[in-house]
Structure formats: structure tokens, C-alpha cells
Amino acid sequence: MSVKKGMRKLTALFVAFMMSFALLGTTVSAAAYDTENDLKYVALGDSVSFGMSAVVSLDPVTYQGFAKMFNDYLKTSGKTVDFHNLSEPGDTSIDLLMKLNDPVFQGELSGANVVTINIGANNLLIPLVGAALNKYGYVGSPEEIDYDILFSSIRTLLKKNWYSIDRTMKPYSDLATNDALKGALDFGLQAFKGDWATIIEKVIGLVPDATIIVNELYNPLAYGDPLYNLANTYITKINGIIVANAGSGYKVAKVYDAFRGYEKNRLAVTFSMKNSIMAALVNNKSLFMISLDPHPTLLGHTLIFKQVLLQYR
């Protein structure tokens, strides 16, 4: 999902946190595709496809997300690879569908030999994060979080609760049975279901000879999180829609299972509401911000890359 405001701060934090997993890449040069040795790779989707949180350099800011890793792999074939990452942080399924109707966007996609798609997470994360923020008195957009305000709000609540982590977690935990949130998640699921058939039809229509690989969604919540089961219900339903239509021109990268082994240790995704509250308790804003990021770490992006690669080979 998109967390635009404050992302530069997160970028700096993640460089220190994840450099040990870095798989350094090289710059891709654009090329005309007029010989059989040329290859065009286009990545479509959201912030995960964009590479958010997989940072390996600050000057300039460089992301080593799964799409960049896959691009680096494609170049090992000896072909000239023209890489276009058309992904946009914050995009939902309807956002991608609208872009696929745009002639300029269609031109960027046209001629692709390989296409990856990662979309649908924001259909669920935007309402879920928005509901959680509202429970802690934050009225801003879930797509542009002001971490200073949120950090202060949670520290104030901790003081009011006599620094009890359990009592401070309760507003978040109560969302597991919140009818309004379930209604919003239902809406996001149905929107994806209505958009997906048209999205894949348009992509295949624009690049009928391309190898198209679609990623399953992963669950960004830790196993045991109060909202884990709720989120999992909707994530698996979206994955079911993706898998059910596989074979009609695209392959599916099995990302969901790849992340399951890391649901407790938070190495693939650092999001943990409990950890963020504990960070606020000890007045550690850096750890607080890291604990609220639902994007894959560099290790998480590597897991996605490996699943994409399995479908490509």
C-alpha cells in the first residue's frame, strides 16, 4: 500500500535494517526491440511491485524490489532488456484497470515479452489501515500517514492506560469483530472480483504473446495478530480469484505460501501493531515506523522474486 508522507524517513531506516539482504543490481538501459536478442519486461501493480521498502541506496534512492531482481535475472540471458516499471504505490484494482484504458499507458505496455502483475492488496489494506488509524484518533488518510502525529497519539493513549500494552492494543483488537470494517473489506473484495477479469483480458489483449505472471497476495500480519484471521479470510479469497482464472493466459506466482514461514519472526514483513506500541512505550520512533510498514523487506522481495522465477522458467 502507499504510505507516502514520511516514506523518506522509512527509506533511511530500511537501508540500515536490510542492507544485509541486498542483491545489488545494475542500471537498465532502454533499447529498441528490433532483433530476437531484445526483451521488454513490464511490471504492473502497486507499491510491492514498485519495490517499496526494499532500499539499497539513499543517494539516489534505489529500490531492489522483486521486479528489479527479476529484471536483473532476465539480463543474465545475454539479451538486451528494456525494463518498464509502471507500478504505482497506493493503486487498487480499479486504478490499474483505469490505467489500462489509457492510450499512453497502453503504449508503455505494448510490445512486452514478459509482464508481472501485483495488485489487490490495497483493496483490503486501505480500509483496514484506515479503520485502525481511526481507532487511535488519527483522522488523516491511510495513504499519507503523518507518523509524528500517530506516534504522539499512541504515546498519549499509553499514558492514559497506565502504560499497559494490552489496554492500548484493545482498540485494534476490537476491529476483529467490527461490522463496518468487514463491510469495507467485502466491498474491496467484490471490487477486485469485478475488476480482475477485465484487467487480465486487457493485458492479454495488448500483449497476447507475452509471458504473464501474476503474484498471489501475502498476509502482512503476524500469526497471532488479533486481525490475522480476518485479513487472511479476504486475502485468500482474492488469491482464489487469481488462481481460479490461471491458465487463461497467465501463470500464478505462489507468494502466499512462501511468506507463511516468516509470519512469526517478521523477517519478510516487519508490520506488528504490538511491536509499534512497544516502540512508542520506549519512545523509539524509528522502530515504531518500521513496525507499521506492511511492505516486504528485502528478504520478502527475494521470496517473491523466487516464486516469479519458478513460473518463468
Side-chain angles (χ1 to χ4, degrees), residues 2-313:
S2 173
V3 186
K4 299 174 184 175
K5 192 171 183 179
M7 189 53 68
R8 289 187 178 182
K9 295 180 181 179
L10 275 174
T11 296
L13 294 169
F14 269 96
V15 170
F17 183 74
M18 294 183 288
M19 277 297 289
S20 61
F21 296 110
L23 299 173
L24 297 177
T26 56
T27 302
V28 178
S29 58
Y33 350 104
D34 56 358
T35 77
E36 62 181 13
N37 291 321
D38 294 331
L39 192 66
K40 181 177 179 180
Y41 165 40
V42 177
L44 304 176
D46 50 27
S47 55
V48 174
S49 186
F50 181 80
M52 197 67 75
S53 295
V55 184
V56 294
S57 173
L58 281 179
D59 189 20
V61 175
T62 304
Y63 297 97
Q64 187 71 25
F66 81 85
K68 178 64 165 56
M69 295 177 189
F70 187 46
N71 172 61
D72 290 345
Y73 167 80
L74 292 174
K75 291 191 297 182
T76 64
S77 66
K79 294 184 178 182
T80 299
V81 182
D82 188 11
F83 177 37
H84 295 248
N85 195 335
L86 305 183
S87 309
E88 180 69 26
D91 272 6
T92 62
S93 57
I94 189 61
D95 293 317
L96 177 56
L97 181 55
M98 292 176 66
K99 288 177 179 178
L100 287 167
N101 289 322
D102 176 59
V104 175
F105 193 86
Q106 291 176 356
E108 290 288 318
L109 177 58
S110 179
N113 308 100
V114 184
V115 177
T116 56
I117 306 175
N118 194 104
I119 201 70
N122 287 313
N123 288 53
L124 307 178
L125 280 174
I126 289 176
L128 193 153
V129 172
L133 291 175
N134 288 338
K135 283 290 185 178
Y136 288 97
Y138 184 90
V139 295
S141 167
E143 298 179 76
E144 296 183 2
I145 299 174
D146 187 320
Y147 290 97
D148 291 334
I149 294 175
L150 184 60
F151 185 71
S152 177
S153 176
I154 291 181
R155 279 185 55 79
T156 298
L157 184 59
L158 273 165
K159 184 177 181 180
K160 181 180 178 181
N161 289 333
W162 294 94
Y163 301 102
S164 166
I165 292 174
D166 289 339
R167 285 199 294 270
T168 306
M169 274 286 291
K170 191 174 185 306
Y172 177 80
S173 301
D174 287 347
L175 287 171
T177 56
N178 185 286
D179 289 337
L181 175 57
K182 289 182 179 179
L185 293 174
D186 281 331
F187 181 84
L189 171 63
Q190 293 306 314
F192 182 86
K193 185 176 182 180
D195 297 335
W196 180 245
T198 308
I199 286 172
I200 199 63
E201 179 183 359
K202 285 184 175 296
V203 173
I204 294 172
L206 289 165
V207 285
D209 298 321
T211 297
I212 301 171
I213 302 170
V214 181
N215 295 341
E216 289 180 332
L217 304 186
Y218 62 88
N219 192 336
L221 305 186
Y223 185 80
D225 183 286
L227 303 188
Y228 175 87
N229 289 332
L230 177 64
N232 214 49
T233 296
Y234 289 92
I235 289 166
T236 54
K237 285 181 178 179
I238 283 185
N239 287 342
I241 294 168
I242 293 171
V243 172
N245 292 281
S248 59
Y250 66 92
K251 301 177 181 181
V252 179
K254 302 297 184 179
V255 172
Y256 177 81
D257 284 341
F259 273 68
R260 294 197 70 182
Y262 298 88
E263 287 179 337
K264 292 183 179 180
N265 60 30
R266 301 289 77 198
L267 291 177
V269 188
T270 57
F271 180 87
S272 169
M273 192 65 198
K274 186 172 184 179
N275 286 351
S276 74
I277 290 173
M278 292 173 65
L281 178 66
V282 297
N283 200 27
N284 188 326
K285 191 180 296 183
S286 297
L287 182 58
F288 174 80
M289 293 169 66
I290 290 173
S291 299
L292 290 176
D293 191 354
H295 300 102
T297 62
L298 204 54
L299 172 62
H301 277 281
T302 303
L303 295 175
I304 299 173
F305 158 67
K306 288 181 178 180
Q307 293 305 312
V308 170
L309 187 57
L310 284 174
Q311 296 305 315
Y312 180 72
R313 285 175 168 171

